[in-house]
Each structure stands twice: as structure tokens, then as C-alpha cells.
Amino acid sequence: NLIGVVMLTKLNFIGIFALILYPILIVALVVNYVIDYQFGWFEVALILLGYYIANISVGVGLHRLWSHDAYKTNKYVEFVLAILTAGTLQGPVLSWASNHYKHHTFTDTENDPHTPLKYKSRIMGFFWSHIGWMLVGEGSYKSIDKLTMVKLGRNKVLRWQLQYYWQIAIAMNTVVPALVGYLLGDGTLLAAYAGFLFIGLARAVQQQVTFFVNSLCHFVGTQKYIDGTSRDIWWLAILLLGENWHNFHHAFPSDYRNGARWYQFDVHKWIIYA
């Protein structure tokens, strides 16, 4: 009983809701919608729009801009990216960057927050690196180290996002997708509801695909640049738009490119270059 109480106190209930329970609810509502109404090109368009906007905001914003300072941009772009990344439900920029800094500094050690080597079992290691590390303690939220605050703490956009994170995140997962559905659809409440559901579904799927960078890209793939667990997986390019070139990224973390070769599919590097 004592062990159970200790484990219960360590659970991150916000993380459990955001990463597991809310996506399950969205999936259930989507199934009900498809049964009662339809699944056509409008719904497909909403999924693609929601998925790739979330993907680009994570890769271009959370990862390459703020975590690695791989390029510079103006505050207007930062503001838009701060809004969009809050909608991905992956935590505030400052905590995301802090955890990612630890991952690169202490890769494959006990100080790596999502090391796949935490357990001897590869299955448990995969689960921990994919999602488990966010379901205990503070998870990824508010775990901000001092170095990150020194580097990014004076950024007013990021401090504003941290202060109002959940207000922004909730609006970006309710009001905004419903409005997008309403405007892109036929201007009905059903179209708004479809926007809420299918953009929400896309965001939840993209969330899990982002987590594959921490898990799958440390288990399978090729290693051309650096030893360790990080690997490149070429066939994930269409889903990750460049974050799949993970072995190169661990070798050259400050490079704005992950796909260094001109022919390597890396939409994020092309957006940054443009």
C-alpha cells in the first residue's frame, strides 16, 4: 500500500490527461462523428492542416529556434510560433527547451530526462523515452533549469507564454480549431465541430509522432555521424518533415538543418532558409 501511495503521488495527472485521456476522448468523438455524419475531403483537409501546422511549429519553433538557437527571427514570428506551439500541448517553450538541453548535454545517461537506457528492458526503455518520462513528477511542465532561464528567460514572448500557457493551450485546442472549421467549411456549427474534432485528432497524432524522435529514433535506423543511441530514419521524413535525421542532429545540434544533404527531405530547414 505504501508503494502504491508513493507511486500515486509521483504521477503527473496533467500529463496523463493531456497525453492520454484527452486524445482518447477525441478519438471516441471522431468515431461517433464519422458514424453519424461523414468522412470526406473536408475532414481529410482538416487533419492535414492540423497535423502539419503542429509539426512545423514544433520543429521550427520549439526545436531549432529556441532549444538550439540555430537561427534568428523577429518577435512577430516568435509570437506566432509561441501561440502555435502552446496548441501542441507539449508544455511551455521554456520547459521544452530546458528538457531538450538536458537531453543533448547528458545523452544516454541518468541525467537525460528521457534516456532509452533507463531500463534494461528495451520495451520499458522505449515506453519511458516515448511518453513515460512525462507521466511522473512534474513531467515536462515547469521543469526549467537555471541555464535555460539565463539563455531564454529575458525573452518577453516566452515569459508571457509561460504565464498564460494553459489559457493559450485551451483556446488553441477549442476555439481556434472550431473557428477554422467554421470558416473553411459551410459556415455551420457542424463544420465548426468538425474543425474542433479533426484538427484535435491531428494534433494528438502529431504529438505521438514527435515523441517518436525520443523513442523510435533512438532504437532503429542508421548511424553515420556519431555513436550512441540516436539514429536517422529516412522513412519517417514524410511524417516528421526533417526531425527524422536524428543522428546528424546529435552530431551537429546547432545546425539549422537536420537533413544536411540537399536531397534529404527536411521541410523545416527549407522554411528556415527561406
Side-chain angles (χ1 to χ4, degrees):
N1 291 338
L2 180 59
I3 295 175
V5 171
V6 172
M7 290 299 294
L8 189 63
T9 58
K10 288 184 177 181
L11 290 178
N12 175 14
F13 291 102
I14 294 177
I16 291 171
F17 176 78
L19 304 180
I20 298 177
L21 299 182
Y22 184 60
I24 290 175
L25 173 62
I26 289 292
V27 169
L29 293 175
V30 164
V31 171
N32 183 72
Y33 174 97
V34 172
I35 292 173
D36 289 346
Y37 302 105
Q38 63 174 1
F39 183 76
W41 288 111
F42 176 58
E43 289 76 17
V44 171
L46 290 172
I47 291 174
L48 293 175
L49 181 68
Y51 180 91
Y52 284 111
I53 286 180
N55 176 279
I56 291 168
S57 70
V58 170
V60 172
L62 287 175
H63 193 203
R64 304 191 199 189
L65 174 60
W66 290 307
S67 294
H68 290 291
D69 195 27
Y71 71 99
K72 301 292 184 183
T73 188
N74 60 61
K75 292 299 178 184
Y76 300 104
V77 173
E78 282 201 86
F79 178 76
V80 171
L81 287 172
I83 294 288
L84 292 175
T85 55
T88 67
L89 293 183
Q90 295 189 30
V93 171
L94 290 171
S95 63
W96 204 101
S98 177
N99 284 299
H100 197 69
Y101 167 77
K102 294 172 189 174
H103 171 59
H104 276 272
T105 304
F106 307 109
T107 305
D108 296 337
T109 70
E110 61 180 12
N111 292 321
D112 180 347
H114 45 75
T115 173
L117 303 179
K118 184 176 178 66
Y119 298 98
K120 292 182 180 180
S121 166
R122 285 175 62 85
I123 295 175
M124 286 297 297
F126 185 94
F127 175 78
W128 174 259
S129 61
H130 186 77
I131 197 172
W133 70 283
M134 292 177 284
L135 303 181
V136 295
E138 290 185 337
S140 63
Y141 183 57
K142 289 187 177 180
S143 51
I144 306 170
D145 69 312
K146 292 182 179 179
L147 183 58
T148 299
M149 289 305 296
V150 170
K151 293 169 59 179
L152 299 173
R154 293 184 179 180
N155 187 315
K156 293 181 179 179
V157 172
L158 302 188
R159 292 175 64 178
W160 170 81
Q161 195 228 38
L162 179 66
Q163 183 178 358
Y164 298 104
Y165 176 75
W166 284 110
Q167 292 92 323
I168 302 168
I170 291 171
M172 288 297 294
N173 280 276
T174 54
V175 177
V176 173
L179 182 60
V180 170
Y182 181 85
L183 294 175
L184 295 183
D186 53 10
T188 63
L189 289 178
L190 182 61
Y193 182 55
F196 163 74
L197 284 184
F198 289 95
I199 291 177
L201 175 66
R203 190 233 12 107
V205 171
Q206 199 284 319
Q207 192 178 60
Q208 297 300 317
V209 175
T210 291
F211 299 161
F212 275 143
V213 177
N214 296 337
S215 56
L216 193 62
C217 288
H218 282 265
F219 278 87
V220 299
T222 59
Q223 293 180 304
K224 297 180 181 179
Y225 304 98
I226 194 173
D227 293 330
T229 59
S230 62
R231 288 166 166 80
D232 293 338
I233 305 179
W234 68 267
W235 48 268
L236 274 178
I238 195 64
L239 293 177
L240 285 169
L241 300 188
E243 301 300 293
N244 53 292
W245 309 110
H246 198 53
N247 186 250
F248 175 87
H249 174 62
H250 267 264
F252 308 100
S254 296
D255 198 320
Y256 78 96
R257 307 163 301 171
N258 278 13
R261 305 297 183 184
W262 67 267
Y263 54 82
Q264 288 179 318
F265 193 73
D266 185 354
V267 173
H268 298 165
K269 76 177 177 186
W270 296 329
I271 291 173
I272 293 168
Y273 182 80

